[in-house]
Amino acid sequence: MIARNGEVRIAPSPSGVATIAVEALLAVARTRAGAAVALSGGSTPKAMYDHLRKLPEARDLVASVHYFFGDERSVPNDHADSNVRLAQEGFLRELAVPADHIHAPNGGASDLAAEAARLTAELRRLVPSGTVPVLDLVYLGMGTDGHTASLFPGTAALASETAGFVANDVPQLGTRRLTLTYPVLNAARWLMILCTGANKAEVLREIFSRAEGAPAVYPIERLSAERITWVLDTDAAALLPSHIPVKVAS
Ligand code: 6PG
């Protein structure tokens, strides 16, 4: 159960979750210039980006970070479903993050496997590493099926030993996606999992109720990095077992 080496923080609202996420980014940006961060996809990060955009005083810190993406849908970066577009419009443009600090997957590439290889090479070039690139901070979300990034249940990427990006067929969505793999996620210095909304409560209840030593059921349970922080709003945390230690933000 990954909660054992993780901490759980509960905020009263999605905006409170966003505040914690922004604080983490600024803290990491302060540790060293050129820190490497992977942004999450989905809709949850929007509140974080909205918050960041309102911090012009953090512009220099935010712009000092190199941004990767945990995953990207198989759409061009200007598509409404693109995780890159969400971040570009959310804060990267507004805070004038330099283009060479944005390492955007091209989900619209005709050969996603080649794009995954290109991204992996870019990651390895930029992020100091031995055999596996070590990211300073990775933001992740969680689907109601327990997927994270684009590591969906029953898909090939779950078994990938590639220390980078792969193109992953996701038959349950009838699509292919680019995703970071477990070797990179689990080598990260810090994983921050952002979950909001009542629709995540039942899966979180099941994950945090998992008996000691019981096998993982969901892809997200196979995360095992140096530091894992779950940041939940009260709706998502509503069914957490009472024995789980939590830190509640006001
Ligand atoms: C994606 C994400 C995915 C997302 C979860 C949660 O590209 O969809 O990377 O892993 O984080 O599906 O999505 P929501 O934030 O929309 O709940």
Side-chain angles (χ1 to χ4, degrees):
M1 182 180 70
I2 59 173
R4 204 174 305 121
N5 67 340
E7 57 180 341
V8 179
R9 300 187 62 185
I10 298 177
S13 65
S15 171
V17 167
T19 299
I20 294 169
V22 166
E23 287 167 353
L25 178 66
L26 299 182
V28 165
R30 287 187 194 101
T31 55
R32 68 183 180 89
V37 172
L39 298 171
S40 171
S43 57
T44 301
K46 186 177 183 311
M48 170 187 166
Y49 301 163
D50 292 344
H51 189 103
L52 266 176
R53 217 175 37 249
K54 295 174 191 143
L55 293 177
E57 69 278 15
R59 177 189 294 262
D60 291 348
L61 260 181
V62 171
S64 73
V65 170
H66 281 271
Y67 295 94
F68 291 86
F69 292 78
D71 68 325
E72 176 61 303
R73 290 87 181 273
S74 49
V75 294
N77 290 166
D78 59 0
H79 190 282
D81 291 345
S82 167
N83 293 332
V84 172
R85 175 174 167 177
L86 187 74
Q88 286 281 18
E89 294 181 349
F91 75 103
L92 293 173
R93 274 196 208 118
E94 184 78 18
L95 297 187
V97 175
D100 65 353
H101 279 223
I102 302 169
H103 308 280
N106 174 13
S110 54
D111 182 344
L112 283 182
E115 176 62 8
R118 181 193 72 78
L119 283 165
T120 298
E122 189 160 331
L123 177 65
R124 302 183 69 83
R125 178 174 59 75
L126 197 94
V127 178
S129 64
T131 54
V132 180
V134 177
L135 289 162
D136 294 285
L137 172 60
V138 178
Y139 292 100
L140 292 165
M142 182 190 75
T144 52
D145 61 354
H147 81 262
T148 192
S150 280
L151 299 169
F152 284 82
T155 61
L158 297 179
S160 173
E161 293 181 359
T162 300
F165 291 86
V166 294
N168 190 30
D169 288 314
V170 186
Q172 52 268 56
L173 297 180
T175 188
R176 284 194 108 191
R177 289 208 177 170
L178 292 162
T179 187
L180 276 176
T181 59
Y182 284 120
V184 174
L185 296 177
N186 291 344
R189 291 193 175 86
W190 192 6
L191 298 180
M192 180 165 272
I193 304 168
L194 309 178
C195 292
T196 60
N199 66 328
K200 308 289 173 74
E202 175 49 33
V203 179
L204 289 167
R205 183 201 60 74
E206 184 183 339
I207 290 168
F208 284 90
S209 305
R210 192 86 57 220
E212 182 103 7
V217 169
Y218 301 112
I220 199 165
E221 292 180 80
R222 289 173 51 187
L223 295 175
S224 62
E226 179 183 324
R227 182 181 179 190
I228 297 175
T229 304
W230 293 77
V231 188
L232 316 175
D233 70 355
T234 45
D235 287 345
L239 303 178
L240 278 191
S242 54
H243 69 276
I244 298 292
V246 298
K247 278 189 235 167
V248 180
S250 53

